Amino acid sequence: MPIVVNLDMMLARRKMSLSQLSERVDVTIANLSVLKTNKARAVRFSTLEAICRALDCQPGDILEYVEEGER
């Protein structure tokens, strides 16, 4: 899939754990883990908004388009 989720990088930059983010955005650790490991097929805008608010970032800091074969 050409959309890559860089949630792990943003968490590291903000020195925040997945469990801390889960508490702040009220999304289960399991669902955030699916996003973090690039296994999600979709993400709600409300979830993306909450993550961006908690991490003080833009959606483009988390989501990246990568051509097939470039990974």
Side-chain angles (χ1 to χ4, degrees):
M1 182 180 286
I3 301 296
V4 177
V5 180
N6 295 314
L7 185 57
D8 53 345
M9 289 181 5
M10 286 307 300
L11 286 169
R13 287 182 186 158
R14 300 299 188 250
K15 297 183 173 113
M16 187 183 299
S17 70
L18 200 60
S19 59
Q20 289 172 318
L21 181 62
S22 173
E23 290 174 11
R24 291 185 185 192
V25 299
D26 197 30
V27 174
T28 66
I29 293 173
N31 284 340
L32 288 175
S33 181
V34 168
L35 268 176
K36 183 179 159 190
T37 58
N38 285 301
K39 294 180 182 172
R41 306 286 262 151
V43 61
R44 292 179 187 213
F45 282 146
S46 59
T47 301
L48 185 58
E49 177 185 354
I51 291 170
C52 288
R53 187 180 307 113
L55 295 175
D56 189 30
C57 66
Q58 295 294 314
D61 296 328
I62 297 171
L63 303 175
E64 177 184 9
Y65 174 78
V66 178
E67 290 280 347
E68 288 292 329
E70 284 187 21
R71 281 193 263 165

Short mmCIF file of all heavy atoms in Angstrom, two decimals:
data_model
loop_
_atom_site.label_atom_id
_atom_site.label_comp_id
_atom_site.label_asym_id
_atom_site.label_seq_id
_atom_site.Cartn_x
_atom_site.Cartn_y
_atom_site.Cartn_z
N MET A 1 0.86 -1.18 0.00
CA MET A 1 0.00 0.00 0.00
C MET A 1 0.90 1.24 0.00
O MET A 1 1.83 1.33 0.78
CB MET A 1 -0.91 -0.01 1.23
CG MET A 1 -1.85 1.17 1.27
SD MET A 1 -2.93 1.18 2.71
CE MET A 1 -4.06 -0.10 2.27
N PRO A 2 0.64 2.19 -0.86
CA PRO A 2 1.54 3.35 -0.99
C PRO A 2 1.41 4.40 0.11
O PRO A 2 2.19 5.33 0.16
CB PRO A 2 1.16 3.94 -2.35
CG PRO A 2 -0.17 3.41 -2.69
CD PRO A 2 -0.34 2.14 -1.92
N ILE A 3 0.44 4.28 1.01
CA ILE A 3 0.35 5.22 2.13
C ILE A 3 1.04 4.60 3.33
O ILE A 3 0.72 3.50 3.76
CB ILE A 3 -1.11 5.56 2.49
CG1 ILE A 3 -1.85 6.16 1.31
CG2 ILE A 3 -1.16 6.47 3.71
CD1 ILE A 3 -1.32 7.51 0.84
N VAL A 4 2.03 5.31 3.86
CA VAL A 4 2.81 4.83 5.00
C VAL A 4 2.45 5.69 6.21
O VAL A 4 2.37 6.92 6.11
CB VAL A 4 4.32 4.93 4.71
CG1 VAL A 4 5.14 4.52 5.91
CG2 VAL A 4 4.67 4.09 3.50
N VAL A 5 2.24 5.04 7.35
CA VAL A 5 1.92 5.74 8.59
C VAL A 5 3.20 5.85 9.41
O VAL A 5 3.81 4.83 9.76
CB VAL A 5 0.82 5.01 9.39
CG1 VAL A 5 0.51 5.76 10.67
CG2 VAL A 5 -0.43 4.85 8.54
N ASN A 6 3.62 7.07 9.70
CA ASN A 6 4.85 7.32 10.46
C ASN A 6 4.55 7.67 11.92
O ASN A 6 5.21 8.51 12.51
CB ASN A 6 5.64 8.47 9.81
CG ASN A 6 6.12 8.09 8.44
OD1 ASN A 6 6.65 7.02 8.22
ND2 ASN A 6 5.91 8.97 7.48
N LEU A 7 3.59 6.99 12.49
CA LEU A 7 3.19 7.26 13.87
C LEU A 7 4.32 6.97 14.84
O LEU A 7 4.54 7.74 15.79
CB LEU A 7 1.95 6.44 14.23
CG LEU A 7 1.34 6.70 15.59
CD1 LEU A 7 0.96 8.16 15.78
CD2 LEU A 7 0.12 5.80 15.79
N ASP A 8 5.08 5.91 14.60
CA ASP A 8 6.18 5.58 15.49
C ASP A 8 7.23 6.67 15.54
O ASP A 8 7.77 6.99 16.60
CB ASP A 8 6.79 4.24 15.12
CG ASP A 8 7.21 4.13 13.67
OD1 ASP A 8 6.77 4.96 12.85
OD2 ASP A 8 7.96 3.19 13.34
N MET A 9 7.50 7.30 14.40
CA MET A 9 8.48 8.40 14.37
C MET A 9 7.99 9.60 15.16
O MET A 9 8.75 10.21 15.91
CB MET A 9 8.79 8.80 12.92
CG MET A 9 9.58 7.78 12.17
SD MET A 9 10.03 8.17 10.45
CE MET A 9 9.49 9.81 10.16
N MET A 10 6.70 9.93 15.01
CA MET A 10 6.15 11.08 15.74
C MET A 10 6.12 10.80 17.24
O MET A 10 6.38 11.70 18.04
CB MET A 10 4.76 11.44 15.23
CG MET A 10 4.75 12.10 13.89
SD MET A 10 5.83 13.56 13.77
CE MET A 10 5.15 14.62 15.02
N LEU A 11 5.80 9.58 17.62
CA LEU A 11 5.81 9.23 19.04
C LEU A 11 7.22 9.38 19.60
O LEU A 11 7.41 9.90 20.70
CB LEU A 11 5.31 7.80 19.25
CG LEU A 11 3.81 7.60 19.09
CD1 LEU A 11 3.48 6.11 19.04
CD2 LEU A 11 3.04 8.28 20.21
N ALA A 12 8.22 8.94 18.87
CA ALA A 12 9.61 9.05 19.32
C ALA A 12 10.02 10.51 19.44
O ALA A 12 10.66 10.90 20.43
CB ALA A 12 10.54 8.31 18.37
N ARG A 13 9.65 11.33 18.46
CA ARG A 13 9.99 12.75 18.51
C ARG A 13 9.36 13.46 19.71
O ARG A 13 9.95 14.37 20.27
CB ARG A 13 9.54 13.46 17.24
CG ARG A 13 10.37 13.13 16.04
CD ARG A 13 9.89 13.90 14.84
NE ARG A 13 10.60 13.46 13.65
CZ ARG A 13 10.17 13.61 12.43
NH1 ARG A 13 9.00 14.18 12.20
NH2 ARG A 13 10.89 13.19 11.41
N ARG A 14 8.16 13.02 20.07
CA ARG A 14 7.45 13.65 21.19
C ARG A 14 7.72 12.93 22.52
O ARG A 14 7.18 13.30 23.55
CB ARG A 14 5.94 13.65 20.94
CG ARG A 14 5.51 14.40 19.68
CD ARG A 14 5.89 15.86 19.75
NE ARG A 14 5.31 16.59 18.64
CZ ARG A 14 6.00 17.09 17.62
NH1 ARG A 14 7.31 16.92 17.56
NH2 ARG A 14 5.38 17.75 16.66
N LYS A 15 8.57 11.90 22.45
CA LYS A 15 8.90 11.10 23.64
C LYS A 15 7.65 10.64 24.36
O LYS A 15 7.49 10.81 25.57
CB LYS A 15 9.82 11.89 24.57
CG LYS A 15 11.15 12.22 23.94
CD LYS A 15 12.07 12.93 24.89
CE LYS A 15 13.42 13.06 24.23
NZ LYS A 15 13.82 14.37 23.91
N MET A 16 6.75 10.05 23.58
CA MET A 16 5.46 9.59 24.10
C MET A 16 5.29 8.12 23.75
O MET A 16 5.69 7.69 22.67
CB MET A 16 4.32 10.42 23.47
CG MET A 16 2.96 10.14 24.04
SD MET A 16 1.64 11.08 23.21
CE MET A 16 2.13 12.75 23.53
N SER A 17 4.72 7.37 24.67
CA SER A 17 4.46 5.95 24.40
C SER A 17 3.10 5.78 23.74
O SER A 17 2.26 6.68 23.77
CB SER A 17 4.50 5.15 25.71
OG SER A 17 3.37 5.47 26.50
N LEU A 18 2.89 4.62 23.17
CA LEU A 18 1.61 4.32 22.55
C LEU A 18 0.49 4.33 23.59
O LEU A 18 -0.61 4.80 23.30
CB LEU A 18 1.68 2.96 21.84
CG LEU A 18 0.65 2.68 20.77
CD1 LEU A 18 0.74 3.71 19.64
CD2 LEU A 18 0.81 1.29 20.23
N SER A 19 0.78 3.86 24.78
CA SER A 19 -0.24 3.86 25.84
C SER A 19 -0.59 5.28 26.28
O SER A 19 -1.76 5.58 26.56
CB SER A 19 0.19 3.01 27.03
OG SER A 19 1.39 3.48 27.58
N GLN A 20 0.39 6.17 26.33
CA GLN A 20 0.11 7.58 26.65
C GLN A 20 -0.77 8.21 25.57
O GLN A 20 -1.72 8.93 25.88
CB GLN A 20 1.40 8.37 26.79
CG GLN A 20 2.20 8.03 28.03
CD GLN A 20 3.57 8.69 28.02
OE1 GLN A 20 4.24 8.73 26.97
NE2 GLN A 20 3.97 9.21 29.15
N LEU A 21 -0.44 7.95 24.31
CA LEU A 21 -1.24 8.48 23.22
C LEU A 21 -2.65 7.91 23.28
O LEU A 21 -3.62 8.65 23.10
CB LEU A 21 -0.60 8.15 21.86
CG LEU A 21 -1.34 8.67 20.64
CD1 LEU A 21 -1.41 10.19 20.64
CD2 LEU A 21 -0.68 8.16 19.37
N SER A 22 -2.77 6.65 23.57
CA SER A 22 -4.07 6.00 23.68
C SER A 22 -4.96 6.70 24.72
O SER A 22 -6.14 6.95 24.47
CB SER A 22 -3.89 4.53 24.06
OG SER A 22 -5.12 3.92 24.33
N GLU A 23 -4.38 7.03 25.84
CA GLU A 23 -5.13 7.73 26.89
C GLU A 23 -5.56 9.12 26.44
O GLU A 23 -6.67 9.56 26.70
CB GLU A 23 -4.29 7.84 28.16
CG GLU A 23 -4.09 6.52 28.87
CD GLU A 23 -3.12 6.62 30.04
OE1 GLU A 23 -2.76 7.76 30.43
OE2 GLU A 23 -2.71 5.57 30.56
N ARG A 24 -4.68 9.81 25.74
CA ARG A 24 -4.96 11.19 25.32
C ARG A 24 -6.00 11.29 24.22
O ARG A 24 -6.76 12.25 24.16
CB ARG A 24 -3.68 11.89 24.86
CG ARG A 24 -2.73 12.16 25.99
CD ARG A 24 -1.54 12.94 25.51
NE ARG A 24 -0.58 13.10 26.59
CZ ARG A 24 0.44 13.92 26.54
NH1 ARG A 24 0.66 14.65 25.46
NH2 ARG A 24 1.26 14.01 27.55
N VAL A 25 -6.03 10.30 23.33
CA VAL A 25 -6.95 10.37 22.19
C VAL A 25 -8.16 9.47 22.36
O VAL A 25 -9.04 9.46 21.50
CB VAL A 25 -6.24 10.07 20.85
CG1 VAL A 25 -5.15 11.07 20.58
CG2 VAL A 25 -5.71 8.66 20.80
N ASP A 26 -8.21 8.70 23.44
CA ASP A 26 -9.32 7.81 23.73
C ASP A 26 -9.55 6.80 22.60
O ASP A 26 -10.67 6.60 22.12
CB ASP A 26 -10.59 8.60 24.03
CG ASP A 26 -11.65 7.75 24.73
OD1 ASP A 26 -11.27 6.82 25.45
OD2 ASP A 26 -12.84 8.02 24.52
N VAL A 27 -8.46 6.20 22.15
CA VAL A 27 -8.47 5.14 21.15
C VAL A 27 -7.68 3.98 21.76
O VAL A 27 -6.66 4.21 22.41
CB VAL A 27 -7.82 5.60 19.82
CG1 VAL A 27 -7.71 4.46 18.84
CG2 VAL A 27 -8.61 6.74 19.21
N THR A 28 -8.15 2.76 21.55
CA THR A 28 -7.47 1.62 22.17
C THR A 28 -6.05 1.47 21.65
O THR A 28 -5.73 1.85 20.51
CB THR A 28 -8.22 0.31 21.90
OG1 THR A 28 -8.18 0.02 20.51
CG2 THR A 28 -9.66 0.38 22.39
N ILE A 29 -5.21 0.89 22.49
CA ILE A 29 -3.83 0.62 22.09
C ILE A 29 -3.82 -0.31 20.88
O ILE A 29 -3.01 -0.14 19.97
CB ILE A 29 -3.03 0.01 23.27
CG1 ILE A 29 -2.86 1.05 24.37
CG2 ILE A 29 -1.67 -0.49 22.80
CD1 ILE A 29 -2.23 0.51 25.64
N ALA A 30 -4.73 -1.26 20.86
CA ALA A 30 -4.80 -2.21 19.72
C ALA A 30 -5.05 -1.47 18.41
O ALA A 30 -4.39 -1.75 17.40
CB ALA A 30 -5.88 -3.25 19.97
N ASN A 31 -5.98 -0.53 18.42
CA ASN A 31 -6.28 0.22 17.18
C ASN A 31 -5.12 1.12 16.79
O ASN A 31 -4.81 1.25 15.60
CB ASN A 31 -7.56 1.03 17.35
CG ASN A 31 -8.80 0.18 17.27
OD1 ASN A 31 -8.76 -0.93 16.75
ND2 ASN A 31 -9.89 0.67 17.80
N LEU A 32 -4.47 1.74 17.76
CA LEU A 32 -3.30 2.57 17.44
C LEU A 32 -2.15 1.71 16.93
O LEU A 32 -1.41 2.12 16.04
CB LEU A 32 -2.86 3.37 18.67
CG LEU A 32 -3.77 4.52 19.07
CD1 LEU A 32 -3.28 5.15 20.37
CD2 LEU A 32 -3.89 5.56 17.97
N SER A 33 -2.03 0.51 17.46
CA SER A 33 -0.99 -0.42 17.01
C SER A 33 -1.20 -0.81 15.56
O SER A 33 -0.24 -0.93 14.79
CB SER A 33 -0.96 -1.65 17.91
OG SER A 33 0.05 -2.52 17.51
N VAL A 34 -2.45 -1.01 15.17
CA VAL A 34 -2.77 -1.33 13.77
C VAL A 34 -2.31 -0.18 12.86
O VAL A 34 -1.73 -0.40 11.80
CB VAL A 34 -4.27 -1.62 13.60
CG1 VAL A 34 -4.67 -1.66 12.14
CG2 VAL A 34 -4.64 -2.92 14.28
N LEU A 35 -2.55 1.05 13.30
CA LEU A 35 -2.08 2.22 12.54
C LEU A 35 -0.56 2.25 12.49
O LEU A 35 0.03 2.43 11.43
CB LEU A 35 -2.57 3.51 13.20
CG LEU A 35 -3.88 4.09 12.76
CD1 LEU A 35 -4.22 5.31 13.60
CD2 LEU A 35 -3.86 4.45 11.29
N LYS A 36 0.06 2.08 13.64
CA LYS A 36 1.52 2.20 13.76
C LYS A 36 2.25 1.18 12.91
O LYS A 36 3.32 1.47 12.38
CB LYS A 36 1.89 2.03 15.24
CG LYS A 36 3.34 2.20 15.54
CD LYS A 36 3.59 2.05 17.02
CE LYS A 36 5.03 1.71 17.28
NZ LYS A 36 5.28 1.34 18.64
N THR A 37 1.67 0.00 12.74
CA THR A 37 2.33 -1.06 11.98
C THR A 37 1.90 -1.09 10.51
O THR A 37 2.18 -2.06 9.80
CB THR A 37 2.05 -2.44 12.62
OG1 THR A 37 0.64 -2.66 12.68
CG2 THR A 37 2.67 -2.53 14.01
N ASN A 38 1.22 -0.04 10.07
CA ASN A 38 0.79 0.09 8.67
C ASN A 38 -0.16 -1.01 8.23
O ASN A 38 -0.16 -1.41 7.07
CB ASN A 38 2.00 0.15 7.73
CG ASN A 38 2.69 1.47 7.79
OD1 ASN A 38 2.10 2.51 7.53
ND2 ASN A 38 3.96 1.45 8.16
N LYS A 39 -0.98 -1.52 9.14
CA LYS A 39 -1.94 -2.55 8.79
C LYS A 39 -3.36 -2.00 8.67
O LYS A 39 -4.27 -2.73 8.31
CB LYS A 39 -1.90 -3.67 9.84
CG LYS A 39 -0.58 -4.42 9.81
CD LYS A 39 -0.53 -5.50 10.83
CE LYS A 39 0.83 -6.18 10.79
NZ LYS A 39 0.99 -7.12 11.89
N ALA A 40 -3.53 -0.72 8.94
CA ALA A 40 -4.86 -0.11 8.86
C ALA A 40 -5.27 0.06 7.40
O ALA A 40 -4.44 0.39 6.55
CB ALA A 40 -4.86 1.23 9.57
N ARG A 41 -6.55 -0.15 7.13
CA ARG A 41 -7.07 0.05 5.79
C ARG A 41 -7.73 1.42 5.68
O ARG A 41 -7.97 1.90 4.57
CB ARG A 41 -8.10 -1.04 5.46
CG ARG A 41 -7.57 -2.44 5.64
CD ARG A 41 -6.63 -2.86 4.58
NE ARG A 41 -7.34 -3.65 3.59
CZ ARG A 41 -6.98 -3.71 2.34
NH1 ARG A 41 -5.95 -3.05 1.92
NH2 ARG A 41 -7.67 -4.43 1.50
N ALA A 42 -8.05 2.02 6.83
CA ALA A 42 -8.70 3.33 6.85
C ALA A 42 -8.46 3.97 8.21
O ALA A 42 -8.11 3.29 9.17
CB ALA A 42 -10.20 3.17 6.62
N VAL A 43 -8.63 5.28 8.25
CA VAL A 43 -8.54 6.01 9.51
C VAL A 43 -9.60 7.11 9.48
O VAL A 43 -9.78 7.77 8.46
CB VAL A 43 -7.12 6.58 9.76
CG1 VAL A 43 -6.70 7.56 8.69
CG2 VAL A 43 -7.01 7.20 11.13
N ARG A 44 -10.31 7.25 10.56
CA ARG A 44 -11.32 8.30 10.64
C ARG A 44 -10.64 9.65 10.80
O ARG A 44 -9.62 9.77 11.48
CB ARG A 44 -12.24 8.06 11.83
CG ARG A 44 -13.10 6.87 11.69
CD ARG A 44 -13.94 6.69 12.92
NE ARG A 44 -14.64 5.42 12.81
CZ ARG A 44 -15.83 5.21 13.28
NH1 ARG A 44 -16.46 6.14 13.96
NH2 ARG A 44 -16.41 4.04 13.12
N PHE A 45 -11.22 10.67 10.18
CA PHE A 45 -10.67 12.01 10.33
C PHE A 45 -10.69 12.44 11.78
O PHE A 45 -9.78 13.13 12.24
CB PHE A 45 -11.43 13.02 9.47
CG PHE A 45 -11.05 12.99 8.02
CD1 PHE A 45 -11.99 13.25 7.05
CD2 PHE A 45 -9.75 12.72 7.61
CE1 PHE A 45 -11.66 13.24 5.69
CE2 PHE A 45 -9.40 12.70 6.27
CZ PHE A 45 -10.36 12.96 5.31
N SER A 46 -11.70 12.05 12.53
CA SER A 46 -11.77 12.43 13.95
C SER A 46 -10.60 11.81 14.73
O SER A 46 -10.03 12.44 15.62
CB SER A 46 -13.10 12.03 14.56
OG SER A 46 -13.31 10.63 14.45
N THR A 47 -10.23 10.59 14.38
CA THR A 47 -9.08 9.94 15.03
C THR A 47 -7.79 10.63 14.62
O THR A 47 -6.93 10.91 15.47
CB THR A 47 -9.02 8.44 14.64
OG1 THR A 47 -10.24 7.82 15.05
CG2 THR A 47 -7.84 7.76 15.29
N LEU A 48 -7.64 10.92 13.35
CA LEU A 48 -6.45 11.62 12.86
C LEU A 48 -6.34 12.99 13.51
O LEU A 48 -5.25 13.40 13.93
CB LEU A 48 -6.51 11.74 11.33
CG LEU A 48 -5.30 12.35 10.64
CD1 LEU A 48 -4.03 11.56 10.94
CD2 LEU A 48 -5.55 12.41 9.14
N GLU A 49 -7.45 13.69 13.64
CA GLU A 49 -7.46 15.00 14.29
C GLU A 49 -7.01 14.89 15.74
O GLU A 49 -6.19 15.68 16.21
CB GLU A 49 -8.86 15.60 14.23
CG GLU A 49 -8.98 16.93 14.93
CD GLU A 49 -10.42 17.44 14.95
OE1 GLU A 49 -11.31 16.83 14.33
OE2 GLU A 49 -10.63 18.46 15.63
N ALA A 50 -7.53 13.90 16.46
CA ALA A 50 -7.16 13.71 17.87
C ALA A 50 -5.68 13.37 18.02
O ALA A 50 -5.00 13.87 18.92
CB ALA A 50 -8.02 12.63 18.49
N ILE A 51 -5.15 12.54 17.12
CA ILE A 51 -3.73 12.19 17.16
C ILE A 51 -2.88 13.42 16.89
O ILE A 51 -1.89 13.67 17.59
CB ILE A 51 -3.43 11.06 16.15
CG1 ILE A 51 -4.07 9.75 16.61
CG2 ILE A 51 -1.93 10.89 15.95
CD1 ILE A 51 -4.03 8.64 15.57
N CYS A 52 -3.26 14.20 15.88
CA CYS A 52 -2.51 15.42 15.56
C CYS A 52 -2.54 16.42 16.71
O CYS A 52 -1.54 17.06 17.01
CB CYS A 52 -3.05 16.06 14.28
SG CYS A 52 -2.63 15.14 12.79
N ARG A 53 -3.68 16.52 17.37
CA ARG A 53 -3.79 17.43 18.51
C ARG A 53 -2.88 16.96 19.65
O ARG A 53 -2.14 17.76 20.23
CB ARG A 53 -5.24 17.51 19.00
CG ARG A 53 -5.45 18.57 20.07
CD ARG A 53 -6.88 18.69 20.56
NE ARG A 53 -7.84 18.87 19.47
CZ ARG A 53 -8.77 17.98 19.10
NH1 ARG A 53 -8.90 16.83 19.75
NH2 ARG A 53 -9.59 18.22 18.12
N ALA A 54 -2.90 15.66 19.93
CA ALA A 54 -2.09 15.13 21.03
C ALA A 54 -0.59 15.21 20.75
O ALA A 54 0.20 15.43 21.66
CB ALA A 54 -2.49 13.68 21.30
N LEU A 55 -0.21 15.04 19.48
CA LEU A 55 1.20 15.06 19.12
C LEU A 55 1.67 16.42 18.61
O LEU A 55 2.85 16.58 18.27
CB LEU A 55 1.48 13.99 18.05
CG LEU A 55 1.29 12.55 18.49
CD1 LEU A 55 1.49 11.61 17.30
CD2 LEU A 55 2.25 12.19 19.61
N ASP A 56 0.75 17.38 18.56
CA ASP A 56 1.06 18.73 18.07
C ASP A 56 1.76 18.65 16.71
O ASP A 56 2.90 19.09 16.54
CB ASP A 56 1.93 19.49 19.08
CG ASP A 56 2.08 20.96 18.70
OD1 ASP A 56 1.16 21.52 18.07
OD2 ASP A 56 3.14 21.55 19.02
N CYS A 57 1.06 18.04 15.74
CA CYS A 57 1.63 17.88 14.42
C CYS A 57 0.54 18.02 13.36
O CYS A 57 -0.63 18.20 13.68
CB CYS A 57 2.31 16.51 14.29
SG CYS A 57 1.19 15.12 14.39
N GLN A 58 0.92 17.91 12.13
CA GLN A 58 0.02 17.97 10.98
C GLN A 58 -0.20 16.56 10.45
O GLN A 58 0.66 15.68 10.62
CB GLN A 58 0.61 18.85 9.87
CG GLN A 58 0.76 20.31 10.25
CD GLN A 58 -0.60 20.95 10.44
OE1 GLN A 58 -1.50 20.78 9.63
NE2 GLN A 58 -0.74 21.70 11.52
N PRO A 59 -1.33 16.31 9.75
CA PRO A 59 -1.55 14.98 9.18
C PRO A 59 -0.40 14.51 8.28
O PRO A 59 -0.05 13.33 8.28
CB PRO A 59 -2.84 15.14 8.38
CG PRO A 59 -3.57 16.24 9.07
CD PRO A 59 -2.49 17.19 9.55
N GLY A 60 0.22 15.42 7.57
CA GLY A 60 1.34 15.08 6.70
C GLY A 60 2.57 14.63 7.46
O GLY A 60 3.48 14.01 6.88
N ASP A 61 2.64 14.93 8.76
CA ASP A 61 3.74 14.43 9.58
C ASP A 61 3.56 12.95 9.90
O ASP A 61 4.52 12.26 10.22
CB ASP A 61 3.83 15.21 10.90
CG ASP A 61 4.16 16.68 10.68
OD1 ASP A 61 4.88 17.00 9.71
OD2 ASP A 61 3.68 17.51 11.48
N ILE A 62 2.32 12.48 9.82
CA ILE A 62 1.99 11.10 10.17
C ILE A 62 1.80 10.24 8.92
O ILE A 62 2.24 9.11 8.88
CB ILE A 62 0.72 11.06 11.04
CG1 ILE A 62 0.96 11.80 12.35
CG2 ILE A 62 0.28 9.63 11.30
CD1 ILE A 62 -0.28 12.00 13.17
N LEU A 63 1.15 10.79 7.90
CA LEU A 63 0.85 10.04 6.69
C LEU A 63 1.79 10.46 5.56
O LEU A 63 2.02 11.64 5.35
CB LEU A 63 -0.59 10.28 6.26
CG LEU A 63 -1.66 9.93 7.29
CD1 LEU A 63 -3.03 10.33 6.77
CD2 LEU A 63 -1.63 8.46 7.64
N GLU A 64 2.27 9.48 4.82
CA GLU A 64 3.21 9.75 3.73
C GLU A 64 2.85 8.87 2.54
O GLU A 64 2.55 7.68 2.70
CB GLU A 64 4.62 9.44 4.21
CG GLU A 64 5.69 9.61 3.17
CD GLU A 64 7.06 9.21 3.69
OE1 GLU A 64 7.18 8.64 4.78
OE2 GLU A 64 8.03 9.45 2.96
N TYR A 65 2.88 9.44 1.35
CA TYR A 65 2.66 8.68 0.13
C TYR A 65 4.02 8.23 -0.40
O TYR A 65 4.92 9.06 -0.60
CB TYR A 65 1.94 9.52 -0.91
CG TYR A 65 1.82 8.82 -2.24
CD1 TYR A 65 0.87 7.83 -2.44
CD2 TYR A 65 2.67 9.12 -3.29
CE1 TYR A 65 0.75 7.16 -3.64
CE2 TYR A 65 2.57 8.46 -4.50
CZ TYR A 65 1.61 7.48 -4.67
OH TYR A 65 1.51 6.82 -5.87
N VAL A 66 4.17 6.93 -0.63
CA VAL A 66 5.42 6.38 -1.15
C VAL A 66 5.06 5.51 -2.34
O VAL A 66 4.23 4.60 -2.24
CB VAL A 66 6.14 5.54 -0.07
CG1 VAL A 66 7.41 4.93 -0.62
CG2 VAL A 66 6.43 6.36 1.15
N GLU A 67 5.71 5.78 -3.48
CA GLU A 67 5.47 4.98 -4.69
C GLU A 67 5.80 3.52 -4.41
O GLU A 67 6.74 3.21 -3.66
CB GLU A 67 6.37 5.47 -5.82
CG GLU A 67 6.00 6.81 -6.37
CD GLU A 67 4.83 6.77 -7.34
OE1 GLU A 67 4.45 5.68 -7.80
OE2 GLU A 67 4.28 7.86 -7.60
N GLU A 68 5.04 2.61 -5.01
CA GLU A 68 5.35 1.18 -4.90
C GLU A 68 6.76 0.95 -5.40
O GLU A 68 7.17 1.51 -6.40
CB GLU A 68 4.35 0.36 -5.73
CG GLU A 68 2.96 0.31 -5.15
CD GLU A 68 2.87 -0.48 -3.85
OE1 GLU A 68 3.64 -1.44 -3.65
OE2 GLU A 68 1.99 -0.13 -3.03
N GLY A 69 7.50 0.14 -4.71
CA GLY A 69 8.87 -0.16 -5.11
C GLY A 69 9.92 0.77 -4.51
O GLY A 69 11.10 0.49 -4.59
N GLU A 70 9.48 1.88 -3.91
CA GLU A 70 10.43 2.82 -3.32
C GLU A 70 10.74 2.47 -1.86
O GLU A 70 11.61 3.04 -1.27
CB GLU A 70 9.90 4.26 -3.37
CG GLU A 70 9.99 4.88 -4.72
CD GLU A 70 9.62 6.35 -4.71
OE1 GLU A 70 9.67 6.98 -3.65
OE2 GLU A 70 9.24 6.85 -5.77
N ARG A 71 9.97 1.56 -1.30
CA ARG A 71 10.17 1.23 0.11
C ARG A 71 11.27 0.26 0.29
O ARG A 71 11.71 -0.54 -0.33
CB ARG A 71 8.90 0.67 0.72
CG ARG A 71 7.95 1.76 1.05
CD ARG A 71 6.85 1.26 1.92
NE ARG A 71 5.70 0.94 1.08
CZ ARG A 71 4.68 0.24 1.45
NH1 ARG A 71 4.65 -0.28 2.63
NH2 ARG A 71 3.69 0.02 0.67
#
